[in-house]
Amino acid sequence: MGALRAEVTSRPAVAAVQPVLARPRVAARSEKAGTLGRQLPSILVALLTPASLVVLAMGLWRVCTDLDWAGAFPITTGLFSHWQVWIALSIALKILSSSLLAWDGRTHKISEEN
């Protein structure tokens, strides 16, 4: 729904009503998209760090199962039945999270300088 603007001319009996273009809305949408783009690395870091801890817990559970210190591990066959895979995946997720955080910091610093 567009806003209306009433213009009063030199003749008071005649008033022209014209719709106002919705350019501010378009600008607001592009600002929202830009804001999401700037926040996306921070959101991913916030999700990757807990995921790394969960995967580490799975790896430690698998190690404890192999040492008969814990109950049965739910995955008994396949690639993810090995504790090394879980620990390596946890390290990879943490490295990805740290790299993403560093990259985000560099891009914010560059954009502030420009």
Side-chain angles (χ1 to χ4, degrees):
M1 182 171 186
L4 298 177
R5 179 178 56 195
E7 291 182 1
V8 179
T9 61
S10 60
R11 297 179 291 174
V14 178
V17 178
Q18 299 174 352
V20 177
L21 296 177
R23 289 182 191 256
R25 280 189 168 180
V26 173
R29 286 183 191 156
S30 64
E31 286 177 9
K32 286 180 184 177
T35 302
L36 179 63
R38 285 189 298 268
Q39 291 177 349
L40 190 60
S42 298
I43 293 169
L44 287 175
V45 166
L47 294 175
L48 284 174
T49 302
S52 174
L53 290 174
V54 168
V55 172
L56 179 63
M58 295 291 284
L60 293 176
W61 183 7
R62 182 61 194 174
V63 169
C64 290
T65 300
D66 288 347
L67 297 172
D68 289 329
W69 291 352
F73 191 71
I75 303 171
T76 57
T77 59
L79 179 66
F80 291 107
S81 66
H82 304 287
W83 65 268
Q84 295 92 341
V85 174
W86 289 103
I87 303 292
L89 184 59
S90 173
I91 292 169
L93 285 174
K94 185 57 185 165
I95 289 172
L96 177 64
S97 173
S98 298
S99 300
L100 195 57
L101 187 62
W103 175 80
D104 185 41
R106 285 194 307 268
T107 56
H108 280 308
K109 185 177 179 182
I110 290 170
S111 65
E112 288 173 2
E113 290 175 356
N114 291 334

